[in-house]
Amino acid sequence: MGASDPRRDAAPAAVASDRPIVELVGAVKRYGEVAAIAGVDLQIRPRELFTLLGPSGSGKTTILRAIAGLVDLTEGRILIDGRDMADVPTFERNIGMVFQSLALFPHMSVFDNIAFPLRMRRRGRAEIARRVQEVLDMVRLPDIGRRRVHELSGGQQQRVALARALVYDPKLLLLDEPLGALDKRLREEMQLELVRLHGEIDVTIINVTHDQVEALMLSDRIGVMEEGRLVQVGTPEEIYRRPATRFVAEFVGRANLIDGVGEDGGDRCRVVTPSGVAVTVADLPGGPGAEYTAALRAELIDLRRPDEASWPHRLEGTVALRVFEGESLYYEVSVPGLERPLRVASRRRDLAVGDPVAVEWDPEEVAVVAADGP
Amino acid sequence: MGRVVKGTLVGVLALVALPMLVVVVASFSAGETLTFPPAGFSVRPYLDLLDDEVIRVALARSLFVGGLVVALAVGAGVPASIALVRYRPRFRLGFTAYLLLGITTPLIASAFAFLVIYTRAGLIGRLWPIAVAITVANLPFLMFSVASALATLDPHLEEAAATLGAERIQTFLLVTLPGMAPGILSGTIMIFVLGISEFLISLILSTVATQTLPVAIFGSLRGPVPPTLAAAAGLYIVIAFMVVGVLTSLRTTEQFFYRND
């Protein structure tokens, strides 16, 4: 547990000083006609928690499996610690991996499961006993070694799988959606546990998920995948605030996407839909005249009654749906000229279905994405 | 409706129990010839069974054949099952159908084929060729059992073993094989019972010198039937009960191993 290691909340620049621990160069994996990975270049920095985020079938798990050596690339290279992995079999890569199904050995006790990688490395009995106990303490399951795997709860099994993947101190830990099967509360608990472990031990984590909340919460950096391609790599904040494509804007967070043509409207730029609805934005990256998508985040816009004057950046409509969500309320507002109602997460509770409202926003908070190519 | 269903069920259960009951009751009959219902009861048939040289030798032959069938079937069937499940899934359906064909071919036809081959090769009069023939005819039973155990095994187990540092042979011995163990065990027991009780192939391929127990029983049935034969049949029933016992407890073992919460 290197005390001198940079904490995970250190500036990314400090983490990025070393050469990449994992590097994908022009990685392609084809199954017949279908490309599961369609040309990916990616560099993972030492000690970061990197999340591959994307819908199912986007190729994120294939990338993870290729790094582990469970899938051979059709083209391109994978380097770990600068070494080409083409001829290195999985069992020599010294990588920790937690599978979606956890893949705990059902015929072994918890102790034997965790001792398995140490026995493969021909460690001595005393060392094995000591290390297994250490790692069980680390995942906070100290008294569980003699139990059978099926006697454990789902959350305990997660921790055992994690312990088994960490007991031999791999530099790289791969997580293939292991939290997917857990219920929401347990999942959040395990996510925090991961963040804690990542802070405690010297390991680089590559996490795969389709859960954008998990990705935003856990990651130092996120890579968003779409159809075998890495469409954007950045910090959670960059991904959330400055999506590179319409797909990213739609996939991450709860956004209202409004497609239109960029116009220079005096002191403010606008994206104007064919039906004439104008959305004020901070700037147009490709200049006026081009096609854009404005992404209005449901959490970053707010509702006013039409007479409560404030920003000029607003659209007027009527409340079509009001749903209580606990910490906030979820509204849908029909705006004349927009095909879909605007989705708004607001703290206001005094608006009812049918009320006329104005939807307002700070143009700085609106992400503007150049329309995807034809 | 419910009454008809219940009645049918009782009828079926009775039909299953009836032959076993007759055999067990008859096997305890006193007297020189087998009568039903017996005039008196005695354990002598079982004692006589142990004394009867022909039956004893035949039983020993059957056990030898059963053992050999198990060895051959496990040796060939387990690797074949793994190949069947793991490689070339395109051919799996065709291959399964082919194996089914092996089971559904009338035994008399396979027995005849073996008779032709063995006569040419001069193998008639030996015991092990009978075991080979029985193995060939019954191998699919073991393969289905092993293949289904393997098919339900989480394929990620082997990948996990690889990431944890296990070479392929270690993965196979420490992860795959134990995972298949319940299927191998139940398949082995099944094929052992099939081996020691197989009749038709043994009848056609055996001589006096290689009579197995079922053939010996059949031979004795032609004269006045001694109660010893019922005792021999009773022995099979005991074996059948043990097998059912083991298999049902295995079923729970399997659930124990692969319980999904």
Side-chain angles (χ1 to χ4, degrees), chain A residues 57-73:
Chain A
S58 59
K60 54 196 194 303
T61 292
T62 311
I63 289 184
L64 204 68
R65 293 170 58 80
I67 294 171
L70 299 170
V71 158
D72 289 326
L73 289 182

Side-chain angles (χ1 to χ4, degrees), chain B residues 17-134:
Chain B
L18 194 65
M20 287 195 278
L21 267 178
V22 170
V23 167
V24 170
V25 170
S27 72
F28 287 102
S29 54
E32 287 307 304
T33 56
L34 186 70
T35 50
F36 193 85
F41 291 97
S42 151
V43 290
R44 248 200 53 214
Y46 283 92
L47 300 175
D48 286 350
L49 184 67
L50 296 176
D51 279 342
D52 187 327
E53 182 72 24
V54 175
I55 296 287
R56 232 172 46 208
V57 171
L59 176 62
R61 288 198 198 104
S62 274
L63 291 176
F64 173 77
V65 167
L68 197 54
V69 166
V70 165
L72 291 171
V74 170
V78 171
S81 309
I82 294 171
L84 185 63
V85 175
R86 285 296 156 83
Y87 306 107
R88 309 227 171 226
R90 271 179 296 166
F91 300 142
R92 197 177 300 161
L93 190 65
F95 206 86
T96 309
Y98 178 75
L99 286 177
L100 274 174
L101 208 61
I103 301 181
T104 48
T105 304
L107 277 179
I108 190 80
S110 350
F112 173 72
F114 276 109
L115 182 64
V116 172
I117 297 165
Y118 286 176
T119 310
R120 285 217 127 199
L123 292 173
I124 299 295
R126 297 209 213 170
L127 209 47
W128 66 262
I130 296 178
V132 171
I134 294 175

Side-chain angles (χ1 to χ4, degrees), chain A residues 65 91 95 101 107 121 150, chain B residues 154 159 162-164 174 259:
Chain A
R65 293 170 58 80
F91 69 87
I95 287 173
S101 68
H107 56 283
R121 288 164 176 75
H150 67 82
Chain B
D154 178 2
E159 294 181 346
T163 63
L164 295 170
L174 299 174
R259 183 160 53 183

